[in-house]
Amino acid sequence: MIELIKKLSNAHGVSGYEDELREIIRGELEGTADEIKIDSMGNLIATRNGSEFELMLSAHMDEIGFVVKQIDDRGFIRIAPIGGWFSQIALAQRVVLYAKQKIYGVIGCKPPHLMKDEERKKSIEISDMFVDIGARSKEDVFNLGISVGTPVALDREVAMLANNRITGKAFDNRVGVGVAIEAFRRSKSKETIHLVATVQEEVGLKGAKTSAFSIEPNVAIAVDSCVSADFPGSESAHMDIALGKGAVITVVDASGRGLIVSQAVLRWLRETAEKHKIPYQLEVAEGGTTDASAINLTKSGIPAGVVSIPARYIHSPVEVVDLNDVNTAVELITRATENVREYFEVKK
Ligand code: ZN
């Protein structure tokens, strides 16, 4: 599992530019899936055929990042954000630009030596940042195949921490993708299962919207990461979600504007966890939502739930998850795929 997470997390796939991830995921699922399709949005849909009952597992493969916006005469590159950034996180990061080949760059920052006291206290906007790829001129940048619109991703490799915890970038949602892949492989479900690695979740749940429309599953689970509120300063969130306490089952997200999970879905996921003695945590969140919200509102309404892996420092290059939670999420989703017919009917 750790090897799979490393492979997925270290790869780059800014929303709208998920090609590298799509190929990795395809490679992981070939042999396990009966059919793998790529739809016109770029979603990867892997299907294992079973009964007439169809279950959709959705895990977004995109990550927040940037695109090139402007290149100046000295070869410095201005970028625009894609997805939800806290600007201070972006500063002083190493990035990869996806041109003809991968080009490394850094988001430069004035050293403290050159800063006035006032400047040091101020936060810096992404619009004031730039990427330095080592170019001497605009021509240098063009010659490397970089132009306006070239995607730019954070570059950070996974590392092990103490107590079976790991750190890396894009755990939101490569950890979720890894969990969905592993559950898809392990499941002995008799039903038809579609694993959808969705595109553009971070910019409006777009891939989930179109893929759920074409699949029209009987029920769906979005596999994602959620905010773990167990570090200094997170007390004000008044949430008990913590690393190491198990997979998270969402009850409500975005104060109900995202998803209010139906009683039937909650009963299914909670009873499955309890029956198999899988540790889990319940989440009520006021911000953030997942693919499940888009799936839920597809066609005449599709029952949808969320199983997530708690992560600290989400939307940063140093996200932290506990591998024990990863394993409980795999176990919960696997078991849920196997008993789903006890809870839901095929819609006529
Ligand atoms: Zn996510």
Side-chain angles (χ1 to χ4, degrees), residues 60 172-173 201-202 224-225:
H60 74 85
D172 173 13
N173 183 35
E201 187 270 358
E202 297 286 2
D224 211 323
S225 57

Side-chain angles (χ1 to χ4, degrees), residues 48-68:
R48 198 166 66 221
N49 298 321
S51 76
E52 74 282 13
F53 188 94
E54 296 182 64
L55 171 66
M56 172 173 170
L57 296 179
S58 171
H60 74 85
M61 59 178 158
D62 61 316
E63 68 188 289
I64 61 168
F66 311 95
V67 284
V68 173

